[in-house]
Amino acid sequence: MLDCPDPRALAEFYASVIGWKVAHEDDEWVSLSDGGQVKLSFQRAESYQPPNWPSAEHPQQAHLDLTVDDRKQAEIEVLALGAVKHPHQPGEFDGDFTVFLDPAGHPFCLCDAG
């Protein structure tokens, strides 16, 4: 579950990224599912403050690692959906992941499969 100012908008972003469908929706909460028991949910937080990672002032709290077959193509796709590439890239030395911010400011990583 991720706090955010607009659960529907953030759910639409992640539904496009991971291909899951809306399993539940109301004004305060939206859940995505692949049809199984695992869900990814988004909860409205009126005074939401986005993480300021890597600073501890507003820590990342949680982040998603999304495994992809073609990281360069996935980067193009998430940027087109509204993600932003984070300026801090700790994976640049081993080169197996890239950090982005979703439209609500949560960090997430695109990671190489395998």
Side-chain angles (χ1 to χ4, degrees):
M1 192 281 302
L2 298 174
D3 285 350
C4 60
D6 184 345
R8 180 66 178 154
L10 196 56
E12 288 174 357
F13 170 80
Y14 278 105
S16 294
V17 171
I18 62 177
W20 289 9
K21 304 289 183 208
V22 173
H24 169 83
E25 178 178 6
D26 63 38
D27 290 342
E28 302 298 315
W29 187 281
V30 179
S31 294
L32 301 178
S33 174
D34 68 350
Q37 293 182 341
V38 176
K39 291 183 174 60
L40 180 58
S41 299
F42 309 91
Q43 173 180 276
R44 182 179 313 282
E46 293 302 326
S47 58
Y48 173 73
Q49 293 283 326
N52 189 17
W53 177 83
S55 168
E57 183 178 339
H58 294 284
Q60 67 178 331
Q61 302 156 14
H63 77 272
L64 300 174
D65 284 342
L66 306 174
T67 303
V68 296
D69 292 324
D70 183 341
R71 194 161 28 119
K72 288 188 186 287
Q73 182 60 39
E75 177 175 338
I76 291 167
E77 293 170 6
V78 299
L79 292 173
L81 291 168
V84 175
K85 191 171 184 178
H86 198 287
H88 180 68
Q89 293 294 326
E92 63 194 349
F93 295 111
D94 54 12
D96 63 351
F97 68 94
T98 307
V99 182
F100 297 87
L101 300 175
D102 69 23
H106 302 100
F108 71 95
C109 296
L110 294 179
C111 305
D112 291 336

PDB file of all heavy atoms in Angstrom, residues 47-80:
ATOM      1  N   SER A  47      -2.521  14.978   3.720  1.00  0.00           N
ATOM      2  CA  SER A  47      -1.323  15.807   3.929  1.00  0.00           C
ATOM      3  C   SER A  47      -0.071  15.078   3.425  1.00  0.00           C
ATOM      4  O   SER A  47       1.000  15.185   4.009  1.00  0.00           O
ATOM      5  CB  SER A  47      -1.177  16.185   5.397  1.00  0.00           C
ATOM      6  OG  SER A  47      -1.103  15.023   6.197  1.00  0.00           O
ATOM      7  N   TYR A  48      -0.225  14.350   2.342  1.00  0.00           N
ATOM      8  CA  TYR A  48       0.866  13.548   1.788  1.00  0.00           C
ATOM      9  C   TYR A  48       2.111  14.388   1.499  1.00  0.00           C
ATOM     10  O   TYR A  48       2.028  15.467   0.913  1.00  0.00           O
ATOM     11  CB  TYR A  48       0.389  12.880   0.484  1.00  0.00           C
ATOM     12  CG  TYR A  48       1.490  12.159  -0.241  1.00  0.00           C
ATOM     13  CD1 TYR A  48       1.988  10.955   0.247  1.00  0.00           C
ATOM     14  CD2 TYR A  48       2.046  12.687  -1.391  1.00  0.00           C
ATOM     15  CE1 TYR A  48       3.001  10.296  -0.412  1.00  0.00           C
ATOM     16  CE2 TYR A  48       3.061  12.037  -2.058  1.00  0.00           C
ATOM     17  CZ  TYR A  48       3.537  10.842  -1.558  1.00  0.00           C
ATOM     18  OH  TYR A  48       4.549  10.197  -2.210  1.00  0.00           O
ATOM     19  N   GLN A  49       3.241  13.894   1.926  1.00  0.00           N
ATOM     20  CA  GLN A  49       4.552  14.464   1.626  1.00  0.00           C
ATOM     21  C   GLN A  49       5.347  13.395   0.881  1.00  0.00           C
ATOM     22  O   GLN A  49       5.587  12.325   1.425  1.00  0.00           O
ATOM     23  CB  GLN A  49       5.299  14.824   2.920  1.00  0.00           C
ATOM     24  CG  GLN A  49       4.670  15.939   3.706  1.00  0.00           C
ATOM     25  CD  GLN A  49       4.971  17.287   3.064  1.00  0.00           C
ATOM     26  OE1 GLN A  49       6.030  17.487   2.505  1.00  0.00           O
ATOM     27  NE2 GLN A  49       4.014  18.176   3.135  1.00  0.00           N
ATOM     28  N   PRO A  50       5.768  13.645  -0.350  1.00  0.00           N
ATOM     29  CA  PRO A  50       6.519  12.620  -1.077  1.00  0.00           C
ATOM     30  C   PRO A  50       7.868  12.355  -0.419  1.00  0.00           C
ATOM     31  O   PRO A  50       8.423  13.240   0.241  1.00  0.00           O
ATOM     32  CB  PRO A  50       6.691  13.200  -2.477  1.00  0.00           C
ATOM     33  CG  PRO A  50       6.515  14.663  -2.315  1.00  0.00           C
ATOM     34  CD  PRO A  50       5.602  14.863  -1.134  1.00  0.00           C
ATOM     35  N   PRO A  51       8.395  11.156  -0.567  1.00  0.00           N
ATOM     36  CA  PRO A  51       9.727  10.867  -0.054  1.00  0.00           C
ATOM     37  C   PRO A  51      10.757  11.807  -0.681  1.00  0.00           C
ATOM     38  O   PRO A  51      10.564  12.289  -1.802  1.00  0.00           O
ATOM     39  CB  PRO A  51       9.988   9.421  -0.497  1.00  0.00           C
ATOM     40  CG  PRO A  51       8.637   8.854  -0.754  1.00  0.00           C
ATOM     41  CD  PRO A  51       7.791   9.996  -1.223  1.00  0.00           C
ATOM     42  N   ASN A  52      11.817  12.032   0.044  1.00  0.00           N
ATOM     43  CA  ASN A  52      12.918  12.860  -0.450  1.00  0.00           C
ATOM     44  C   ASN A  52      14.192  12.025  -0.424  1.00  0.00           C
ATOM     45  O   ASN A  52      15.201  12.427   0.125  1.00  0.00           O
ATOM     46  CB  ASN A  52      13.061  14.122   0.411  1.00  0.00           C
ATOM     47  CG  ASN A  52      14.027  15.117  -0.186  1.00  0.00           C
ATOM     48  OD1 ASN A  52      14.364  15.036  -1.357  1.00  0.00           O
ATOM     49  ND2 ASN A  52      14.478  16.044   0.625  1.00  0.00           N
ATOM     50  N   TRP A  53      14.107  10.828  -0.964  1.00  0.00           N
ATOM     51  CA  TRP A  53      15.219   9.888  -0.984  1.00  0.00           C
ATOM     52  C   TRP A  53      16.339  10.439  -1.859  1.00  0.00           C
ATOM     53  O   TRP A  53      16.061  11.046  -2.886  1.00  0.00           O
ATOM     54  CB  TRP A  53      14.712   8.552  -1.530  1.00  0.00           C
ATOM     55  CG  TRP A  53      15.760   7.521  -1.660  1.00  0.00           C
ATOM     56  CD1 TRP A  53      16.228   6.711  -0.689  1.00  0.00           C
ATOM     57  CD2 TRP A  53      16.491   7.198  -2.839  1.00  0.00           C
ATOM     58  NE1 TRP A  53      17.196   5.896  -1.194  1.00  0.00           N
ATOM     59  CE2 TRP A  53      17.386   6.185  -2.507  1.00  0.00           C
ATOM     60  CE3 TRP A  53      16.494   7.679  -4.140  1.00  0.00           C
ATOM     61  CZ2 TRP A  53      18.252   5.624  -3.426  1.00  0.00           C
ATOM     62  CZ3 TRP A  53      17.360   7.125  -5.054  1.00  0.00           C
ATOM     63  CH2 TRP A  53      18.223   6.108  -4.691  1.00  0.00           C
ATOM     64  N   PRO A  54      17.585  10.310  -1.465  1.00  0.00           N
ATOM     65  CA  PRO A  54      18.118   9.522  -0.360  1.00  0.00           C
ATOM     66  C   PRO A  54      18.201  10.269   0.973  1.00  0.00           C
ATOM     67  O   PRO A  54      18.736   9.737   1.932  1.00  0.00           O
ATOM     68  CB  PRO A  54      19.502   9.114  -0.849  1.00  0.00           C
ATOM     69  CG  PRO A  54      19.924  10.223  -1.749  1.00  0.00           C
ATOM     70  CD  PRO A  54      18.654  10.745  -2.375  1.00  0.00           C
ATOM     71  N   SER A  55      17.662  11.462   1.070  1.00  0.00           N
ATOM     72  CA  SER A  55      17.660  12.208   2.328  1.00  0.00           C
ATOM     73  C   SER A  55      16.797  11.492   3.369  1.00  0.00           C
ATOM     74  O   SER A  55      15.792  10.865   3.033  1.00  0.00           O
ATOM     75  CB  SER A  55      17.099  13.618   2.093  1.00  0.00           C
ATOM     76  OG  SER A  55      16.830  14.265   3.306  1.00  0.00           O
ATOM     77  N   ALA A  56      17.152  11.632   4.623  1.00  0.00           N
ATOM     78  CA  ALA A  56      16.364  11.042   5.710  1.00  0.00           C
ATOM     79  C   ALA A  56      15.228  11.971   6.148  1.00  0.00           C
ATOM     80  O   ALA A  56      14.402  11.594   6.968  1.00  0.00           O
ATOM     81  CB  ALA A  56      17.268  10.726   6.898  1.00  0.00           C
ATOM     82  N   GLU A  57      15.164  13.190   5.589  1.00  0.00           N
ATOM     83  CA  GLU A  57      14.126  14.137   5.983  1.00  0.00           C
ATOM     84  C   GLU A  57      12.721  13.579   5.715  1.00  0.00           C
ATOM     85  O   GLU A  57      11.841  13.655   6.550  1.00  0.00           O
ATOM     86  CB  GLU A  57      14.301  15.461   5.250  1.00  0.00           C
ATOM     87  CG  GLU A  57      13.293  16.501   5.688  1.00  0.00           C
ATOM     88  CD  GLU A  57      13.506  17.820   4.989  1.00  0.00           C
ATOM     89  OE1 GLU A  57      14.619  18.079   4.485  1.00  0.00           O
ATOM     90  OE2 GLU A  57      12.552  18.601   4.943  1.00  0.00           O
ATOM     91  N   HIS A  58      12.495  13.057   4.527  1.00  0.00           N
ATOM     92  CA  HIS A  58      11.275  12.328   4.181  1.00  0.00           C
ATOM     93  C   HIS A  58      11.743  11.031   3.528  1.00  0.00           C
ATOM     94  O   HIS A  58      11.847  10.954   2.304  1.00  0.00           O
ATOM     95  CB  HIS A  58      10.398  13.116   3.198  1.00  0.00           C
ATOM     96  CG  HIS A  58       9.819  14.358   3.742  1.00  0.00           C
ATOM     97  ND1 HIS A  58       8.749  14.360   4.601  1.00  0.00           N
ATOM     98  CD2 HIS A  58      10.159  15.641   3.578  1.00  0.00           C
ATOM     99  CE1 HIS A  58       8.463  15.597   4.933  1.00  0.00           C
ATOM    100  NE2 HIS A  58       9.307  16.400   4.328  1.00  0.00           N
ATOM    101  N   PRO A  59      12.055   9.990   4.323  1.00  0.00           N
ATOM    102  CA  PRO A  59      12.649   8.770   3.758  1.00  0.00           C
ATOM    103  C   PRO A  59      11.712   8.057   2.786  1.00  0.00           C
ATOM    104  O   PRO A  59      10.502   8.295   2.782  1.00  0.00           O
ATOM    105  CB  PRO A  59      12.920   7.908   4.995  1.00  0.00           C
ATOM    106  CG  PRO A  59      11.994   8.427   6.039  1.00  0.00           C
ATOM    107  CD  PRO A  59      11.786   9.876   5.746  1.00  0.00           C
ATOM    108  N   GLN A  60      12.292   7.162   2.004  1.00  0.00           N
ATOM    109  CA  GLN A  60      11.515   6.486   0.966  1.00  0.00           C
ATOM    110  C   GLN A  60      10.418   5.588   1.531  1.00  0.00           C
ATOM    111  O   GLN A  60       9.462   5.294   0.849  1.00  0.00           O
ATOM    112  CB  GLN A  60      12.430   5.692   0.042  1.00  0.00           C
ATOM    113  CG  GLN A  60      13.102   4.507   0.703  1.00  0.00           C
ATOM    114  CD  GLN A  60      13.949   3.738  -0.287  1.00  0.00           C
ATOM    115  OE1 GLN A  60      13.670   3.722  -1.478  1.00  0.00           O
ATOM    116  NE2 GLN A  60      14.980   3.103   0.199  1.00  0.00           N
ATOM    117  N   GLN A  61      10.517   5.138   2.747  1.00  0.00           N
ATOM    118  CA  GLN A  61       9.509   4.323   3.420  1.00  0.00           C
ATOM    119  C   GLN A  61       9.363   2.949   2.784  1.00  0.00           C
ATOM    120  O   GLN A  61       9.379   1.951   3.462  1.00  0.00           O
ATOM    121  CB  GLN A  61       8.165   5.039   3.469  1.00  0.00           C
ATOM    122  CG  GLN A  61       8.244   6.369   4.175  1.00  0.00           C
ATOM    123  CD  GLN A  61       7.151   7.317   3.755  1.00  0.00           C
ATOM    124  OE1 GLN A  61       6.172   6.930   3.127  1.00  0.00           O
ATOM    125  NE2 GLN A  61       7.305   8.578   4.091  1.00  0.00           N
ATOM    126  N   ALA A  62       9.220   2.877   1.518  1.00  0.00           N
ATOM    127  CA  ALA A  62       9.126   1.616   0.769  1.00  0.00           C
ATOM    128  C   ALA A  62       9.357   1.949  -0.690  1.00  0.00           C
ATOM    129  O   ALA A  62       9.178   3.088  -1.110  1.00  0.00           O
ATOM    130  CB  ALA A  62       7.747   0.981   0.937  1.00  0.00           C
ATOM    131  N   HIS A  63       9.780   0.964  -1.452  1.00  0.00           N
ATOM    132  CA  HIS A  63       9.867   1.155  -2.895  1.00  0.00           C
ATOM    133  C   HIS A  63       9.665  -0.177  -3.586  1.00  0.00           C
ATOM    134  O   HIS A  63       9.854  -1.224  -2.980  1.00  0.00           O
ATOM    135  CB  HIS A  63      11.182   1.816  -3.313  1.00  0.00           C
ATOM    136  CG  HIS A  63      12.362   0.926  -3.312  1.00  0.00           C
ATOM    137  ND1 HIS A  63      13.141   0.718  -2.201  1.00  0.00           N
ATOM    138  CD2 HIS A  63      12.903   0.165  -4.294  1.00  0.00           C
ATOM    139  CE1 HIS A  63      14.114  -0.134  -2.492  1.00  0.00           C
ATOM    140  NE2 HIS A  63      13.991  -0.482  -3.757  1.00  0.00           N
ATOM    141  N   LEU A  64       9.278  -0.112  -4.840  1.00  0.00           N
ATOM    142  CA  LEU A  64       9.054  -1.314  -5.626  1.00  0.00           C
ATOM    143  C   LEU A  64      10.248  -1.554  -6.535  1.00  0.00           C
ATOM    144  O   LEU A  64      10.765  -0.622  -7.144  1.00  0.00           O
ATOM    145  CB  LEU A  64       7.796  -1.150  -6.486  1.00  0.00           C
ATOM    146  CG  LEU A  64       6.494  -0.892  -5.736  1.00  0.00           C
ATOM    147  CD1 LEU A  64       5.371  -0.611  -6.733  1.00  0.00           C
ATOM    148  CD2 LEU A  64       6.141  -2.068  -4.852  1.00  0.00           C
ATOM    149  N   ASP A  65      10.678  -2.805  -6.622  1.00  0.00           N
ATOM    150  CA  ASP A  65      11.657  -3.238  -7.604  1.00  0.00           C
ATOM    151  C   ASP A  65      10.896  -4.005  -8.675  1.00  0.00           C
ATOM    152  O   ASP A  65      10.289  -5.038  -8.388  1.00  0.00           O
ATOM    153  CB  ASP A  65      12.717  -4.150  -6.974  1.00  0.00           C
ATOM    154  CG  ASP A  65      13.740  -3.396  -6.155  1.00  0.00           C
ATOM    155  OD1 ASP A  65      13.864  -2.169  -6.316  1.00  0.00           O
ATOM    156  OD2 ASP A  65      14.428  -4.039  -5.341  1.00  0.00           O
ATOM    157  N   LEU A  66      10.898  -3.499  -9.886  1.00  0.00           N
ATOM    158  CA  LEU A  66      10.182  -4.121 -10.992  1.00  0.00           C
ATOM    159  C   LEU A  66      11.191  -4.720 -11.958  1.00  0.00           C
ATOM    160  O   LEU A  66      12.025  -4.008 -12.519  1.00  0.00           O
ATOM    161  CB  LEU A  66       9.313  -3.078 -11.702  1.00  0.00           C
ATOM    162  CG  LEU A  66       8.340  -2.301 -10.795  1.00  0.00           C
ATOM    163  CD1 LEU A  66       7.638  -1.205 -11.590  1.00  0.00           C
ATOM    164  CD2 LEU A  66       7.338  -3.248 -10.162  1.00  0.00           C
ATOM    165  N   THR A  67      11.133  -6.029 -12.147  1.00  0.00           N
ATOM    166  CA  THR A  67      12.056  -6.734 -13.022  1.00  0.00           C
ATOM    167  C   THR A  67      11.560  -6.655 -14.461  1.00  0.00           C
ATOM    168  O   THR A  67      10.385  -6.927 -14.735  1.00  0.00           O
ATOM    169  CB  THR A  67      12.176  -8.208 -12.587  1.00  0.00           C
ATOM    170  OG1 THR A  67      12.587  -8.248 -11.216  1.00  0.00           O
ATOM    171  CG2 THR A  67      13.201  -8.949 -13.427  1.00  0.00           C
ATOM    172  N   VAL A  68      12.456  -6.267 -15.355  1.00  0.00           N
ATOM    173  CA  VAL A  68      12.095  -6.100 -16.769  1.00  0.00           C
ATOM    174  C   VAL A  68      13.127  -6.801 -17.654  1.00  0.00           C
ATOM    175  O   VAL A  68      14.285  -6.967 -17.270  1.00  0.00           O
ATOM    176  CB  VAL A  68      12.002  -4.604 -17.146  1.00  0.00           C
ATOM    177  CG1 VAL A  68      10.879  -3.913 -16.379  1.00  0.00           C
ATOM    178  CG2 VAL A  68      13.307  -3.873 -16.907  1.00  0.00           C
ATOM    179  N   ASP A  69      12.686  -7.212 -18.830  1.00  0.00           N
ATOM    180  CA  ASP A  69      13.584  -7.869 -19.786  1.00  0.00           C
ATOM    181  C   ASP A  69      14.449  -6.881 -20.544  1.00  0.00           C
ATOM    182  O   ASP A  69      15.580  -7.186 -20.911  1.00  0.00           O
ATOM    183  CB  ASP A  69      12.784  -8.720 -20.783  1.00  0.00           C
ATOM    184  CG  ASP A  69      12.131  -9.911 -20.116  1.00  0.00           C
ATOM    185  OD1 ASP A  69      12.744 -10.497 -19.197  1.00  0.00           O
ATOM    186  OD2 ASP A  69      11.003 -10.261 -20.499  1.00  0.00           O
ATOM    187  N   ASP A  70      13.918  -5.685 -20.802  1.00  0.00           N
ATOM    188  CA  ASP A  70      14.637  -4.676 -21.576  1.00  0.00           C
ATOM    189  C   ASP A  70      14.525  -3.351 -20.826  1.00  0.00           C
ATOM    190  O   ASP A  70      13.539  -2.618 -20.976  1.00  0.00           O
ATOM    191  CB  ASP A  70      14.038  -4.572 -22.979  1.00  0.00           C
ATOM    192  CG  ASP A  70      14.769  -3.583 -23.878  1.00  0.00           C
ATOM    193  OD1 ASP A  70      15.510  -2.711 -23.364  1.00  0.00           O
ATOM    194  OD2 ASP A  70      14.585  -3.674 -25.100  1.00  0.00           O
ATOM    195  N   ARG A  71      15.527  -3.035 -20.008  1.00  0.00           N
ATOM    196  CA  ARG A  71      15.465  -1.858 -19.148  1.00  0.00           C
ATOM    197  C   ARG A  71      15.407  -0.563 -19.952  1.00  0.00           C
ATOM    198  O   ARG A  71      14.704   0.370 -19.576  1.00  0.00           O
ATOM    199  CB  ARG A  71      16.639  -1.847 -18.165  1.00  0.00           C
ATOM    200  CG  ARG A  71      16.434  -0.839 -17.058  1.00  0.00           C
ATOM    201  CD  ARG A  71      17.308  -1.074 -15.833  1.00  0.00           C
ATOM    202  NE  ARG A  71      18.548  -1.728 -16.077  1.00  0.00           N
ATOM    203  CZ  ARG A  71      19.752  -1.196 -15.834  1.00  0.00           C
ATOM    204  NH1 ARG A  71      19.842   0.020 -15.348  1.00  0.00           N
ATOM    205  NH2 ARG A  71      20.840  -1.891 -16.052  1.00  0.00           N
ATOM    206  N   LYS A  72      16.125  -0.476 -21.061  1.00  0.00           N
ATOM    207  CA  LYS A  72      16.088   0.750 -21.876  1.00  0.00           C
ATOM    208  C   LYS A  72      14.682   1.004 -22.425  1.00  0.00           C
ATOM    209  O   LYS A  72      14.181   2.132 -22.397  1.00  0.00           O
ATOM    210  CB  LYS A  72      17.105   0.678 -23.005  1.00  0.00           C
ATOM    211  CG  LYS A  72      18.538   0.817 -22.521  1.00  0.00           C
ATOM    212  CD  LYS A  72      19.481   0.925 -23.693  1.00  0.00           C
ATOM    213  CE  LYS A  72      20.926   0.930 -23.271  1.00  0.00           C
ATOM    214  NZ  LYS A  72      21.365   2.147 -22.656  1.00  0.00           N
ATOM    215  N   GLN A  73      14.022  -0.037 -22.917  1.00  0.00           N
ATOM    216  CA  GLN A  73      12.655   0.108 -23.434  1.00  0.00           C
ATOM    217  C   GLN A  73      11.689   0.420 -22.286  1.00  0.00           C
ATOM    218  O   GLN A  73      10.815   1.274 -22.432  1.00  0.00           O
ATOM    219  CB  GLN A  73      12.207  -1.149 -24.178  1.00  0.00           C
ATOM    220  CG  GLN A  73      10.809  -1.038 -24.766  1.00  0.00           C
ATOM    221  CD  GLN A  73      10.663   0.097 -25.763  1.00  0.00           C
ATOM    222  OE1 GLN A  73      11.550   0.375 -26.557  1.00  0.00           O
ATOM    223  NE2 GLN A  73       9.524   0.781 -25.717  1.00  0.00           N
ATOM    224  N   ALA A  74      11.847  -0.250 -21.155  1.00  0.00           N
ATOM    225  CA  ALA A  74      10.979   0.006 -20.002  1.00  0.00           C
ATOM    226  C   ALA A  74      11.143   1.439 -19.515  1.00  0.00           C
ATOM    227  O   ALA A  74      10.174   2.079 -19.105  1.00  0.00           O
ATOM    228  CB  ALA A  74      11.275  -0.990 -18.886  1.00  0.00           C
ATOM    229  N   GLU A  75      12.369   1.972 -19.557  1.00  0.00           N
ATOM    230  CA  GLU A  75      12.606   3.361 -19.171  1.00  0.00           C
ATOM    231  C   GLU A  75      11.815   4.310 -20.073  1.00  0.00           C
ATOM    232  O   GLU A  75      11.147   5.230 -19.587  1.00  0.00           O
ATOM    233  CB  GLU A  75      14.088   3.702 -19.238  1.00  0.00           C
ATOM    234  CG  GLU A  75      14.381   5.147 -18.915  1.00  0.00           C
ATOM    235  CD  GLU A  75      15.863   5.482 -18.854  1.00  0.00           C
ATOM    236  OE1 GLU A  75      16.698   4.582 -18.643  1.00  0.00           O
ATOM    237  OE2 GLU A  75      16.176   6.672 -19.013  1.00  0.00           O
ATOM    238  N   ILE A  76      11.849   4.089 -21.360  1.00  0.00           N
ATOM    239  CA  ILE A  76      11.100   4.925 -22.300  1.00  0.00           C
ATOM    240  C   ILE A  76       9.613   4.891 -21.948  1.00  0.00           C
ATOM    241  O   ILE A  76       8.935   5.923 -21.915  1.00  0.00           O
ATOM    242  CB  ILE A  76      11.342   4.456 -23.751  1.00  0.00           C
ATOM    243  CG1 ILE A  76      12.794   4.747 -24.167  1.00  0.00           C
ATOM    244  CG2 ILE A  76      10.344   5.101 -24.716  1.00  0.00           C
ATOM    245  CD1 ILE A  76      13.228   4.053 -25.443  1.00  0.00           C
ATOM    246  N   GLU A  77       9.111   3.706 -21.634  1.00  0.00           N
ATOM    247  CA  GLU A  77       7.688   3.541 -21.351  1.00  0.00           C
ATOM    248  C   GLU A  77       7.283   4.210 -20.040  1.00  0.00           C
ATOM    249  O   GLU A  77       6.254   4.893 -19.992  1.00  0.00           O
ATOM    250  CB  GLU A  77       7.332   2.060 -21.347  1.00  0.00           C
ATOM    251  CG  GLU A  77       7.453   1.442 -22.734  1.00  0.00           C
ATOM    252  CD  GLU A  77       7.333  -0.074 -22.747  1.00  0.00           C
ATOM    253  OE1 GLU A  77       7.033  -0.679 -21.692  1.00  0.00           O
ATOM    254  OE2 GLU A  77       7.558  -0.659 -23.824  1.00  0.00           O
ATOM    255  N   VAL A  78       8.064   4.031 -18.958  1.00  0.00           N
ATOM    256  CA  VAL A  78       7.659   4.645 -17.686  1.00  0.00           C
ATOM    257  C   VAL A  78       7.792   6.164 -17.732  1.00  0.00           C
ATOM    258  O   VAL A  78       6.978   6.876 -17.141  1.00  0.00           O
ATOM    259  CB  VAL A  78       8.392   4.061 -16.450  1.00  0.00           C
ATOM    260  CG1 VAL A  78       8.097   2.570 -16.301  1.00  0.00           C
ATOM    261  CG2 VAL A  78       9.873   4.336 -16.445  1.00  0.00           C
ATOM    262  N   LEU A  79       8.773   6.675 -18.468  1.00  0.00           N
ATOM    263  CA  LEU A  79       8.892   8.126 -18.619  1.00  0.00           C
ATOM    264  C   LEU A  79       7.685   8.688 -19.373  1.00  0.00           C
ATOM    265  O   LEU A  79       7.148   9.742 -19.013  1.00  0.00           O
ATOM    266  CB  LEU A  79      10.197   8.493 -19.329  1.00  0.00           C
ATOM    267  CG  LEU A  79      11.482   8.226 -18.530  1.00  0.00           C
ATOM    268  CD1 LEU A  79      12.698   8.466 -19.409  1.00  0.00           C
ATOM    269  CD2 LEU A  79      11.540   9.066 -17.259  1.00  0.00           C
ATOM    270  N   ALA A  80       7.222   7.981 -20.389  1.00  0.00           N
ATOM    271  CA  ALA A  80       6.043   8.418 -21.146  1.00  0.00           C
ATOM    272  C   ALA A  80       4.779   8.398 -20.295  1.00  0.00           C
ATOM    273  O   ALA A  80       3.849   9.172 -20.531  1.00  0.00           O
ATOM    274  CB  ALA A  80       5.855   7.537 -22.389  1.00  0.00           C
TER     275      ALA A  80
END
